[in-house]
Amino acid sequence: GECGEGAMSSRDAEPDAAPEVGPSAKAVASANAKRAAFHADLASGQWAALEKALDAARTPPSPCDAREIRAEVKRFLRLHGQAPGSAPFLLGFRALLEAQGGRTVSVAWRVDPATLTQSGGDAFMRDAVSLLSVSCNRRTDLETPLTTPPGDVSSAKSDREVTAPKESPVIHEDLPLNAKWLAFSPPRDLGDVDLYKLLVKLPDRKTLSFANPAGSIVADASLPGDPPRDVESIAFGGNECTPSLGKRRHVCCMLFIVAVVAALAIATR
C-alpha cells in the first residue's frame, strides 16, 4: 500500500556516522604536553644534580696524588667501564691524557656538559665528576658559551685539538651549565710516567672504536706566567711510546729475562 511505497528501505536510509577510533586530537595534545613537561622536569633535575656535584667537587691536592688518581680511574672503570654510554667520555678523557704527555705546556679538555648528564644516569654523572675532580683542575677560563666554536684547529697537532685564544679570558660564570662548555686540565705536576700508567689502565681506542671522543682538546691551555712543564722519559720506548707498544715491549723484556734465567738454570745443572 501507500505506507509500503512511502517508506524508505533499510538500504536507502542514511548510514550512521562512523565512531571515532583512537584518541582525539585534544587527548594526543594533552599527552604530548605532559610528556614534554616530564622530560623538562627530568632535564632540570639532571642539570641541578650536575651543578651540585661540580660545586661540591674538590680540586686535586698539591702536589697531586697519582696513586689516588689511578685508584679513582680503576673505580670508575669497574662501575661504568662496560656501559655503552661511557665510551665517548672515556675516549675524551684518554685523549686529554695522551695530549698532555710529552708537552711543556698545559692542555685542556673542553666538553659539552651533556656528556655527563646523558651518558649513564645519576650514578655515572656523580662518578664522572668525582674522577675529573681528582685527576684534573677545572678551567673556568675556558668555559665559553656552547654557541661558540670550541676553538681553532688550524695550528693543532690533530683534528681533535684546538688552540685557545690568547687574549684575556672572559669568565662566563653567569651562564647556566647547559649553555657553556666545561673544561678540565691535568695537574701540571702529574708527570708523564704517571700519565702513561693511567693510559695503560684505560680502554684503548680500538676497544672503543664504535664511539667518538667527546669534546675537543685545547692544545695550549697554559696560563700567563706558568713555567714550562717538566717532560719525563717514559720507560720501554721513550716519549713516543704508546701504552700498547709499551705493553708489548714489557712482555718481550719479561720473556727475554725468563729465557735467560731458564738457560742459566739448565747450564748450572
Side-chain angles (χ1 to χ4, degrees), residues 35-87:
R35 188 179 298 110
F38 169 79
H39 286 295
D41 289 343
L42 180 64
S44 177
Q46 289 174 331
W47 290 117
L50 176 59
E51 186 165 16
K52 181 179 180 181
L54 288 170
D55 289 343
R58 62 183 180 88
T59 57
S62 182
C64 72
D65 188 343
R67 187 173 298 178
E68 182 185 17
I69 296 174
R70 290 196 296 273
E72 192 66 27
V73 168
K74 289 174 64 176
R75 174 180 174 272
F76 183 86
L77 291 175
R78 185 179 71 253
L79 295 174
H80 308 287
Q82 300 302 317
S86 67

mmCIF file of all heavy atoms in Angstrom, residues 35-87:
data_model
loop_
_atom_site.group_PDB
_atom_site.id
_atom_site.type_symbol
_atom_site.label_atom_id
_atom_site.label_comp_id
_atom_site.label_asym_id
_atom_site.label_seq_id
_atom_site.Cartn_x
_atom_site.Cartn_y
_atom_site.Cartn_z
ATOM 1 N N ARG A 35 54.091 14.731 28.503
ATOM 2 C CA ARG A 35 55.375 14.084 28.259
ATOM 3 C C ARG A 35 56.497 15.124 28.197
ATOM 4 O O ARG A 35 57.586 14.930 28.745
ATOM 5 C CB ARG A 35 55.323 13.285 26.957
ATOM 6 C CG ARG A 35 56.554 12.423 26.714
ATOM 7 C CD ARG A 35 56.443 11.630 25.416
ATOM 8 N NE ARG A 35 55.329 10.713 25.432
ATOM 9 C CZ ARG A 35 54.234 10.854 24.692
ATOM 10 N NH1 ARG A 35 54.102 11.912 23.893
ATOM 11 N NH2 ARG A 35 53.270 9.975 24.761
ATOM 12 N N ALA A 36 56.226 16.241 27.512
ATOM 13 C CA ALA A 36 57.230 17.297 27.411
ATOM 14 C C ALA A 36 57.546 17.889 28.783
ATOM 15 O O ALA A 36 58.713 18.172 29.098
ATOM 16 C CB ALA A 36 56.745 18.387 26.461
ATOM 17 N N ALA A 37 56.508 18.075 29.608
ATOM 18 C CA ALA A 37 56.725 18.611 30.956
ATOM 19 C C ALA A 37 57.543 17.642 31.796
ATOM 20 O O ALA A 37 58.424 18.050 32.567
ATOM 21 C CB ALA A 37 55.384 18.886 31.626
ATOM 22 N N PHE A 38 57.273 16.337 31.630
ATOM 23 C CA PHE A 38 58.039 15.331 32.378
ATOM 24 C C PHE A 38 59.519 15.381 32.008
ATOM 25 O O PHE A 38 60.400 15.376 32.870
ATOM 26 C CB PHE A 38 57.474 13.937 32.101
ATOM 27 C CG PHE A 38 58.336 12.821 32.616
ATOM 28 C CD1 PHE A 38 58.325 12.480 33.958
ATOM 29 C CD2 PHE A 38 59.167 12.118 31.756
ATOM 30 C CE1 PHE A 38 59.128 11.453 34.437
ATOM 31 C CE2 PHE A 38 59.977 11.095 32.234
ATOM 32 C CZ PHE A 38 59.950 10.762 33.578
ATOM 33 N N HIS A 39 59.799 15.419 30.687
ATOM 34 C CA HIS A 39 61.194 15.457 30.241
ATOM 35 C C HIS A 39 61.874 16.757 30.653
ATOM 36 O O HIS A 39 63.067 16.767 30.969
ATOM 37 C CB HIS A 39 61.263 15.264 28.724
ATOM 38 C CG HIS A 39 61.007 13.858 28.287
ATOM 39 N ND1 HIS A 39 61.837 12.803 28.604
ATOM 40 C CD2 HIS A 39 59.987 13.310 27.561
ATOM 41 C CE1 HIS A 39 61.372 11.683 28.098
ATOM 42 N NE2 HIS A 39 60.248 11.962 27.461
ATOM 43 N N ALA A 40 61.122 17.856 30.651
ATOM 44 C CA ALA A 40 61.695 19.130 31.092
ATOM 45 C C ALA A 40 62.066 19.073 32.573
ATOM 46 O O ALA A 40 63.140 19.536 32.980
ATOM 47 C CB ALA A 40 60.711 20.266 30.829
ATOM 48 N N ASP A 41 61.174 18.491 33.382
ATOM 49 C CA ASP A 41 61.467 18.345 34.815
ATOM 50 C C ASP A 41 62.662 17.424 35.026
ATOM 51 O O ASP A 41 63.517 17.672 35.887
ATOM 52 C CB ASP A 41 60.242 17.790 35.546
ATOM 53 C CG ASP A 41 59.114 18.806 35.650
ATOM 54 O OD1 ASP A 41 59.391 20.002 35.453
ATOM 55 O OD2 ASP A 41 57.970 18.390 35.917
ATOM 56 N N LEU A 42 62.727 16.335 34.225
ATOM 57 C CA LEU A 42 63.835 15.393 34.346
ATOM 58 C C LEU A 42 65.152 16.073 33.991
ATOM 59 O O LEU A 42 66.156 15.946 34.706
ATOM 60 C CB LEU A 42 63.595 14.184 33.433
ATOM 61 C CG LEU A 42 64.672 13.105 33.443
ATOM 62 C CD1 LEU A 42 64.764 12.475 34.820
ATOM 63 C CD2 LEU A 42 64.352 12.035 32.383
ATOM 64 N N ALA A 43 65.159 16.829 32.882
ATOM 65 C CA ALA A 43 66.374 17.530 32.473
ATOM 66 C C ALA A 43 66.781 18.567 33.505
ATOM 67 O O ALA A 43 67.962 18.727 33.823
ATOM 68 C CB ALA A 43 66.167 18.184 31.105
ATOM 69 N N SER A 44 65.791 19.295 34.035
ATOM 70 C CA SER A 44 66.081 20.298 35.050
ATOM 71 C C SER A 44 66.720 19.654 36.271
ATOM 72 O O SER A 44 67.679 20.188 36.849
ATOM 73 C CB SER A 44 64.792 21.027 35.438
ATOM 74 O OG SER A 44 65.031 21.959 36.468
ATOM 75 N N GLY A 45 66.199 18.494 36.661
ATOM 76 C CA GLY A 45 66.771 17.786 37.799
ATOM 77 C C GLY A 45 68.197 17.321 37.522
ATOM 78 O O GLY A 45 69.063 17.363 38.405
ATOM 79 N N GLN A 46 68.463 16.873 36.278
ATOM 80 C CA GLN A 46 69.811 16.431 35.915
ATOM 81 C C GLN A 46 70.804 17.583 35.976
ATOM 82 O O GLN A 46 71.918 17.431 36.500
ATOM 83 C CB GLN A 46 69.794 15.812 34.519
ATOM 84 C CG GLN A 46 69.105 14.456 34.457
ATOM 85 C CD GLN A 46 68.982 13.947 33.040
ATOM 86 O OE1 GLN A 46 68.892 14.724 32.085
ATOM 87 N NE2 GLN A 46 68.979 12.629 32.887
ATOM 88 N N TRP A 47 70.410 18.739 35.453
ATOM 89 C CA TRP A 47 71.320 19.890 35.469
ATOM 90 C C TRP A 47 71.563 20.360 36.897
ATOM 91 O O TRP A 47 72.686 20.741 37.254
ATOM 92 C CB TRP A 47 70.762 21.020 34.612
ATOM 93 C CG TRP A 47 70.790 20.729 33.145
ATOM 94 C CD1 TRP A 47 69.724 20.611 32.300
ATOM 95 C CD2 TRP A 47 71.947 20.482 32.340
ATOM 96 N NE1 TRP A 47 70.142 20.310 31.035
ATOM 97 C CE2 TRP A 47 71.502 20.227 31.029
ATOM 98 C CE3 TRP A 47 73.308 20.444 32.605
ATOM 99 C CZ2 TRP A 47 72.373 19.951 29.980
ATOM 100 C CZ3 TRP A 47 74.182 20.160 31.561
ATOM 101 C CH2 TRP A 47 73.713 19.921 30.276
ATOM 102 N N ALA A 48 70.511 20.335 37.716
ATOM 103 C CA ALA A 48 70.679 20.734 39.116
ATOM 104 C C ALA A 48 71.615 19.776 39.838
ATOM 105 O O ALA A 48 72.470 20.200 40.635
ATOM 106 C CB ALA A 48 69.316 20.783 39.810
ATOM 107 N N ALA A 49 71.486 18.472 39.554
ATOM 108 C CA ALA A 49 72.360 17.485 40.185
ATOM 109 C C ALA A 49 73.805 17.665 39.737
ATOM 110 O O ALA A 49 74.736 17.543 40.542
ATOM 111 C CB ALA A 49 71.871 16.077 39.862
ATOM 112 N N LEU A 50 74.009 17.966 38.448
ATOM 113 C CA LEU A 50 75.361 18.189 37.943
ATOM 114 C C LEU A 50 75.985 19.422 38.583
ATOM 115 O O LEU A 50 77.153 19.408 38.993
ATOM 116 C CB LEU A 50 75.346 18.319 36.425
ATOM 117 C CG LEU A 50 76.689 18.650 35.771
ATOM 118 C CD1 LEU A 50 77.737 17.583 36.104
ATOM 119 C CD2 LEU A 50 76.539 18.789 34.263
ATOM 120 N N GLU A 51 75.208 20.488 38.668
ATOM 121 C CA GLU A 51 75.725 21.710 39.275
ATOM 122 C C GLU A 51 76.104 21.470 40.740
ATOM 123 O O GLU A 51 77.152 21.936 41.209
ATOM 124 C CB GLU A 51 74.692 22.827 39.167
ATOM 125 C CG GLU A 51 75.209 24.173 39.639
ATOM 126 C CD GLU A 51 74.315 25.313 39.193
ATOM 127 O OE1 GLU A 51 73.165 25.057 38.783
ATOM 128 O OE2 GLU A 51 74.773 26.464 39.243
ATOM 129 N N LYS A 52 75.272 20.727 41.445
ATOM 130 C CA LYS A 52 75.566 20.418 42.847
ATOM 131 C C LYS A 52 76.846 19.591 42.962
ATOM 132 O O LYS A 52 77.690 19.836 43.845
ATOM 133 C CB LYS A 52 74.382 19.666 43.458
ATOM 134 C CG LYS A 52 74.554 19.319 44.931
ATOM 135 C CD LYS A 52 73.324 18.609 45.463
ATOM 136 C CE LYS A 52 73.482 18.246 46.946
ATOM 137 N NZ LYS A 52 72.280 17.526 47.461
ATOM 138 N N ALA A 53 77.002 18.605 42.063
ATOM 139 C CA ALA A 53 78.190 17.751 42.106
ATOM 140 C C ALA A 53 79.452 18.555 41.794
ATOM 141 O O ALA A 53 80.492 18.376 42.439
ATOM 142 C CB ALA A 53 78.037 16.596 41.123
ATOM 143 N N LEU A 54 79.377 19.444 40.818
ATOM 144 C CA LEU A 54 80.546 20.254 40.457
ATOM 145 C C LEU A 54 80.905 21.227 41.578
ATOM 146 O O LEU A 54 82.086 21.446 41.867
ATOM 147 C CB LEU A 54 80.282 21.015 39.160
ATOM 148 C CG LEU A 54 80.267 20.168 37.881
ATOM 149 C CD1 LEU A 54 79.748 20.994 36.716
ATOM 150 C CD2 LEU A 54 81.651 19.616 37.570
ATOM 151 N N ASP A 55 79.881 21.799 42.205
ATOM 152 C CA ASP A 55 80.141 22.738 43.306
ATOM 153 C C ASP A 55 80.784 22.032 44.497
ATOM 154 O O ASP A 55 81.601 22.620 45.217
ATOM 155 C CB ASP A 55 78.839 23.420 43.748
ATOM 156 C CG ASP A 55 78.328 24.419 42.713
ATOM 157 O OD1 ASP A 55 79.118 24.823 41.840
ATOM 158 O OD2 ASP A 55 77.136 24.779 42.779
ATOM 159 N N ALA A 56 80.394 20.777 44.720
ATOM 160 C CA ALA A 56 80.927 20.030 45.861
ATOM 161 C C ALA A 56 82.273 19.379 45.558
ATOM 162 O O ALA A 56 82.950 18.913 46.476
ATOM 163 C CB ALA A 56 79.934 18.962 46.292
ATOM 164 N N ALA A 57 82.661 19.342 44.278
ATOM 165 C CA ALA A 57 83.896 18.655 43.897
ATOM 166 C C ALA A 57 85.112 19.388 44.438
ATOM 167 O O ALA A 57 85.172 20.619 44.442
ATOM 168 C CB ALA A 57 83.980 18.547 42.377
ATOM 169 N N ARG A 58 86.073 18.622 44.892
ATOM 170 C CA ARG A 58 87.306 19.224 45.372
ATOM 171 C C ARG A 58 88.318 19.275 44.237
ATOM 172 O O ARG A 58 88.164 18.602 43.212
ATOM 173 C CB ARG A 58 87.878 18.416 46.529
ATOM 174 C CG ARG A 58 88.251 16.976 46.174
ATOM 175 C CD ARG A 58 88.738 16.228 47.401
ATOM 176 N NE ARG A 58 89.101 14.852 47.124
ATOM 177 C CZ ARG A 58 90.303 14.472 46.722
ATOM 178 N NH1 ARG A 58 91.247 15.388 46.512
ATOM 179 N NH2 ARG A 58 90.574 13.200 46.514
ATOM 180 N N THR A 59 89.356 20.058 44.415
ATOM 181 C CA THR A 59 90.427 20.125 43.428
ATOM 182 C C THR A 59 91.523 19.144 43.818
ATOM 183 O O THR A 59 91.630 18.749 44.984
ATOM 184 C CB THR A 59 91.011 21.544 43.353
ATOM 185 O OG1 THR A 59 91.468 21.930 44.663
ATOM 186 C CG2 THR A 59 89.959 22.529 42.870
ATOM 187 N N PRO A 60 92.352 18.721 42.872
ATOM 188 C CA PRO A 60 93.428 17.792 43.212
ATOM 189 C C PRO A 60 94.366 18.401 44.246
ATOM 190 O O PRO A 60 94.604 19.610 44.255
ATOM 191 C CB PRO A 60 94.150 17.587 41.865
ATOM 192 C CG PRO A 60 93.147 17.952 40.824
ATOM 193 C CD PRO A 60 92.314 19.030 41.426
ATOM 194 N N PRO A 61 94.894 17.575 45.149
ATOM 195 C CA PRO A 61 95.834 18.101 46.143
ATOM 196 C C PRO A 61 97.124 18.566 45.477
ATOM 197 O O PRO A 61 97.426 18.190 44.338
ATOM 198 C CB PRO A 61 96.085 16.899 47.063
ATOM 199 C CG PRO A 61 95.814 15.707 46.197
ATOM 200 C CD PRO A 61 94.712 16.128 45.270
ATOM 201 N N SER A 62 97.856 19.384 46.166
ATOM 202 C CA SER A 62 99.139 19.849 45.655
ATOM 203 C C SER A 62 100.228 19.484 46.671
ATOM 204 O O SER A 62 100.176 19.939 47.813
ATOM 205 C CB SER A 62 99.115 21.358 45.435
ATOM 206 O OG SER A 62 100.342 21.818 44.903
ATOM 207 N N PRO A 63 101.173 18.652 46.301
ATOM 208 C CA PRO A 63 101.330 18.006 44.993
ATOM 209 C C PRO A 63 100.247 16.961 44.754
ATOM 210 O O PRO A 63 99.652 16.448 45.701
ATOM 211 C CB PRO A 63 102.717 17.367 45.087
ATOM 212 C CG PRO A 63 102.907 17.096 46.539
ATOM 213 C CD PRO A 63 102.254 18.255 47.245
ATOM 214 N N CYS A 64 100.010 16.676 43.473
ATOM 215 C CA CYS A 64 98.930 15.741 43.144
ATOM 216 C C CYS A 64 99.316 14.331 43.585
ATOM 217 O O CYS A 64 100.496 13.994 43.719
ATOM 218 C CB CYS A 64 98.622 15.790 41.648
ATOM 219 S SG CYS A 64 99.891 15.048 40.598
ATOM 220 N N ASP A 65 98.297 13.519 43.790
ATOM 221 C CA ASP A 65 98.474 12.150 44.257
ATOM 222 C C ASP A 65 98.159 11.199 43.100
ATOM 223 O O ASP A 65 97.004 10.868 42.847
ATOM 224 C CB ASP A 65 97.560 11.874 45.452
ATOM 225 C CG ASP A 65 97.827 10.523 46.107
ATOM 226 O OD1 ASP A 65 98.474 9.674 45.468
ATOM 227 O OD2 ASP A 65 97.382 10.328 47.255
ATOM 228 N N ALA A 66 99.199 10.773 42.380
ATOM 229 C CA ALA A 66 98.994 9.919 41.208
ATOM 230 C C ALA A 66 98.360 8.589 41.592
ATOM 231 O O ALA A 66 97.562 8.032 40.839
ATOM 232 C CB ALA A 66 100.320 9.690 40.489
ATOM 233 N N ARG A 67 98.690 8.087 42.776
ATOM 234 C CA ARG A 67 98.116 6.808 43.206
ATOM 235 C C ARG A 67 96.611 6.936 43.420
ATOM 236 O O ARG A 67 95.845 6.030 43.062
ATOM 237 C CB ARG A 67 98.814 6.354 44.493
ATOM 238 C CG ARG A 67 98.427 4.956 44.941
ATOM 239 C CD ARG A 67 99.282 4.511 46.110
ATOM 240 N NE ARG A 67 100.696 4.459 45.738
ATOM 241 C CZ ARG A 67 101.671 4.134 46.580
ATOM 242 N NH1 ARG A 67 101.392 3.848 47.840
ATOM 243 N NH2 ARG A 67 102.919 4.095 46.160
ATOM 244 N N GLU A 68 96.178 8.043 43.985
ATOM 245 C CA GLU A 68 94.745 8.259 44.185
ATOM 246 C C GLU A 68 94.024 8.381 42.849
ATOM 247 O O GLU A 68 92.907 7.880 42.679
ATOM 248 C CB GLU A 68 94.505 9.506 45.028
ATOM 249 C CG GLU A 68 93.036 9.776 45.310
ATOM 250 C CD GLU A 68 92.790 11.074 46.044
ATOM 251 O OE1 GLU A 68 93.697 11.932 46.067
ATOM 252 O OE2 GLU A 68 91.672 11.248 46.570
ATOM 253 N N ILE A 69 94.667 9.048 41.895
ATOM 254 C CA ILE A 69 94.053 9.187 40.570
ATOM 255 C C ILE A 69 93.885 7.820 39.925
ATOM 256 O O ILE A 69 92.830 7.506 39.355
ATOM 257 C CB ILE A 69 94.901 10.112 39.678
ATOM 258 C CG1 ILE A 69 94.940 11.525 40.266
ATOM 259 C CG2 ILE A 69 94.334 10.156 38.260
ATOM 260 C CD1 ILE A 69 95.870 12.474 39.522
ATOM 261 N N ARG A 70 94.908 6.980 39.998
ATOM 262 C CA ARG A 70 94.801 5.631 39.419
ATOM 263 C C ARG A 70 93.697 4.830 40.099
ATOM 264 O O ARG A 70 92.948 4.100 39.443
ATOM 265 C CB ARG A 70 96.140 4.898 39.520
ATOM 266 C CG ARG A 70 97.218 5.443 38.604
ATOM 267 C CD ARG A 70 98.368 4.458 38.454
ATOM 268 N NE ARG A 70 99.070 4.220 39.707
ATOM 269 C CZ ARG A 70 100.077 4.967 40.144
ATOM 270 N NH1 ARG A 70 100.493 6.008 39.424
ATOM 271 N NH2 ARG A 70 100.679 4.671 41.288
ATOM 272 N N ALA A 71 93.583 4.974 41.415
ATOM 273 C CA ALA A 71 92.530 4.259 42.142
ATOM 274 C C ALA A 71 91.148 4.732 41.695
ATOM 275 O O ALA A 71 90.221 3.923 41.554
ATOM 276 C CB ALA A 71 92.704 4.458 43.642
ATOM 277 N N GLU A 72 90.998 6.035 41.449
ATOM 278 C CA GLU A 72 89.708 6.567 41.009
ATOM 279 C C GLU A 72 89.376 6.112 39.593
ATOM 280 O O GLU A 72 88.219 5.819 39.268
ATOM 281 C CB GLU A 72 89.729 8.097 41.082
ATOM 282 C CG GLU A 72 88.371 8.754 40.939
ATOM 283 C CD GLU A 72 87.429 8.443 42.096
ATOM 284 O OE1 GLU A 72 87.919 8.172 43.212
ATOM 285 O OE2 GLU A 72 86.202 8.451 41.880
ATOM 286 N N VAL A 73 90.396 6.024 38.727
ATOM 287 C CA VAL A 73 90.186 5.513 37.372
ATOM 288 C C VAL A 73 89.737 4.060 37.430
ATOM 289 O O VAL A 73 88.786 3.657 36.734
ATOM 290 C CB VAL A 73 91.468 5.661 36.532
ATOM 291 C CG1 VAL A 73 91.355 4.874 35.226
ATOM 292 C CG2 VAL A 73 91.734 7.132 36.220
ATOM 293 N N LYS A 74 90.389 3.247 38.249
ATOM 294 C CA LYS A 74 90.011 1.843 38.383
ATOM 295 C C LYS A 74 88.586 1.712 38.916
ATOM 296 O O LYS A 74 87.812 0.865 38.457
ATOM 297 C CB LYS A 74 90.994 1.123 39.310
ATOM 298 C CG LYS A 74 92.372 0.916 38.705
ATOM 299 C CD LYS A 74 93.345 0.336 39.718
ATOM 300 C CE LYS A 74 92.950 -1.031 40.178
ATOM 301 N NZ LYS A 74 93.962 -1.615 41.102
ATOM 302 N N ARG A 75 88.228 2.546 39.878
ATOM 303 C CA ARG A 75 86.873 2.511 40.441
ATOM 304 C C ARG A 75 85.842 2.865 39.372
ATOM 305 O O ARG A 75 84.809 2.183 39.241
ATOM 306 C CB ARG A 75 86.773 3.470 41.621
ATOM 307 C CG ARG A 75 85.375 3.623 42.204
ATOM 308 C CD ARG A 75 85.357 4.588 43.381
ATOM 309 N NE ARG A 75 84.001 4.820 43.839
ATOM 310 C CZ ARG A 75 83.197 5.760 43.345
ATOM 311 N NH1 ARG A 75 83.630 6.561 42.370
ATOM 312 N NH2 ARG A 75 81.973 5.916 43.805
ATOM 313 N N PHE A 76 86.102 3.910 38.599
ATOM 314 C CA PHE A 76 85.153 4.323 37.568
ATOM 315 C C PHE A 76 84.984 3.225 36.514
ATOM 316 O O PHE A 76 83.865 2.927 36.089
ATOM 317 C CB PHE A 76 85.618 5.620 36.902
ATOM 318 C CG PHE A 76 84.654 6.153 35.887
ATOM 319 C CD1 PHE A 76 83.612 6.975 36.273
ATOM 320 C CD2 PHE A 76 84.769 5.821 34.542
ATOM 321 C CE1 PHE A 76 82.701 7.458 35.344
ATOM 322 C CE2 PHE A 76 83.865 6.293 33.610
ATOM 323 C CZ PHE A 76 82.825 7.117 34.013
ATOM 324 N N LEU A 77 86.091 2.610 36.111
ATOM 325 C CA LEU A 77 86.012 1.554 35.099
ATOM 326 C C LEU A 77 85.268 0.344 35.631
ATOM 327 O O LEU A 77 84.520 -0.307 34.899
ATOM 328 C CB LEU A 77 87.412 1.161 34.653
ATOM 329 C CG LEU A 77 88.180 2.213 33.850
ATOM 330 C CD1 LEU A 77 89.606 1.739 33.589
ATOM 331 C CD2 LEU A 77 87.469 2.521 32.541
ATOM 332 N N ARG A 78 85.451 0.026 36.908
ATOM 333 C CA ARG A 78 84.744 -1.112 37.497
ATOM 334 C C ARG A 78 83.240 -0.879 37.502
ATOM 335 O O ARG A 78 82.452 -1.810 37.261
ATOM 336 C CB ARG A 78 85.245 -1.351 38.923
ATOM 337 C CG ARG A 78 84.656 -2.598 39.577
ATOM 338 C CD ARG A 78 85.182 -2.825 40.984
ATOM 339 N NE ARG A 78 84.667 -1.837 41.941
ATOM 340 C CZ ARG A 78 85.368 -0.852 42.464
ATOM 341 N NH1 ARG A 78 86.648 -0.693 42.128
ATOM 342 N NH2 ARG A 78 84.840 -0.001 43.317
ATOM 343 N N LEU A 79 82.830 0.353 37.761
ATOM 344 C CA LEU A 79 81.404 0.662 37.872
ATOM 345 C C LEU A 79 80.751 0.968 36.528
ATOM 346 O O LEU A 79 79.573 0.645 36.315
ATOM 347 C CB LEU A 79 81.211 1.854 38.818
ATOM 348 C CG LEU A 79 81.619 1.628 40.275
ATOM 349 C CD1 LEU A 79 81.522 2.934 41.054
ATOM 350 C CD2 LEU A 79 80.750 0.555 40.919
ATOM 351 N N HIS A 80 81.497 1.597 35.605
ATOM 352 C CA HIS A 80 80.861 2.110 34.384
ATOM 353 C C HIS A 80 81.610 1.764 33.105
ATOM 354 O O HIS A 80 81.189 2.186 32.023
ATOM 355 C CB HIS A 80 80.725 3.637 34.471
ATOM 356 C CG HIS A 80 80.059 4.123 35.714
ATOM 357 N ND1 HIS A 80 78.702 3.982 35.944
ATOM 358 C CD2 HIS A 80 80.566 4.745 36.817
ATOM 359 C CE1 HIS A 80 78.405 4.502 37.129
ATOM 360 N NE2 HIS A 80 79.513 4.963 37.676
ATOM 361 N N GLY A 81 82.701 1.021 33.197
ATOM 362 C CA GLY A 81 83.518 0.776 32.019
ATOM 363 C C GLY A 81 82.816 0.020 30.914
ATOM 364 O O GLY A 81 83.146 0.195 29.736
ATOM 365 N N GLN A 82 81.835 -0.825 31.249
ATOM 366 C CA GLN A 82 81.130 -1.624 30.248
ATOM 367 C C GLN A 82 79.856 -0.956 29.734
ATOM 368 O O GLN A 82 79.208 -1.497 28.838
ATOM 369 C CB GLN A 82 80.780 -2.997 30.831
ATOM 370 C CG GLN A 82 81.996 -3.799 31.278
ATOM 371 C CD GLN A 82 82.980 -4.038 30.155
ATOM 372 O OE1 GLN A 82 82.585 -4.366 29.039
ATOM 373 N NE2 GLN A 82 84.264 -3.868 30.446
ATOM 374 N N ALA A 83 79.493 0.175 30.302
ATOM 375 C CA ALA A 83 78.265 0.859 29.857
ATOM 376 C C ALA A 83 78.507 1.515 28.502
ATOM 377 O O ALA A 83 79.489 2.249 28.340
ATOM 378 C CB ALA A 83 77.851 1.909 30.881
ATOM 379 N N PRO A 84 77.637 1.251 27.495
ATOM 380 C CA PRO A 84 77.860 1.830 26.165
ATOM 381 C C PRO A 84 77.957 3.353 26.178
ATOM 382 O O PRO A 84 78.739 3.946 25.428
ATOM 383 C CB PRO A 84 76.631 1.353 25.373
ATOM 384 C CG PRO A 84 76.141 0.145 26.106
ATOM 385 C CD PRO A 84 76.451 0.388 27.541
ATOM 386 N N GLY A 85 77.195 4.006 27.053
ATOM 387 C CA GLY A 85 77.207 5.466 27.079
ATOM 388 C C GLY A 85 78.482 6.060 27.624
ATOM 389 O O GLY A 85 78.714 7.273 27.504
ATOM 390 N N SER A 86 79.347 5.232 28.237
ATOM 391 C CA SER A 86 80.574 5.759 28.824
ATOM 392 C C SER A 86 81.693 5.921 27.801
ATOM 393 O O SER A 86 82.692 6.592 28.074
ATOM 394 C CB SER A 86 81.054 4.839 29.950
ATOM 395 O OG SER A 86 81.470 3.588 29.422
ATOM 396 N N ALA A 87 81.557 5.319 26.634
ATOM 397 C CA ALA A 87 82.660 5.309 25.659
ATOM 398 C C ALA A 87 83.096 6.712 25.219
ATOM 399 O O ALA A 87 84.298 6.998 25.217
ATOM 400 C CB ALA A 87 82.273 4.460 24.449
#
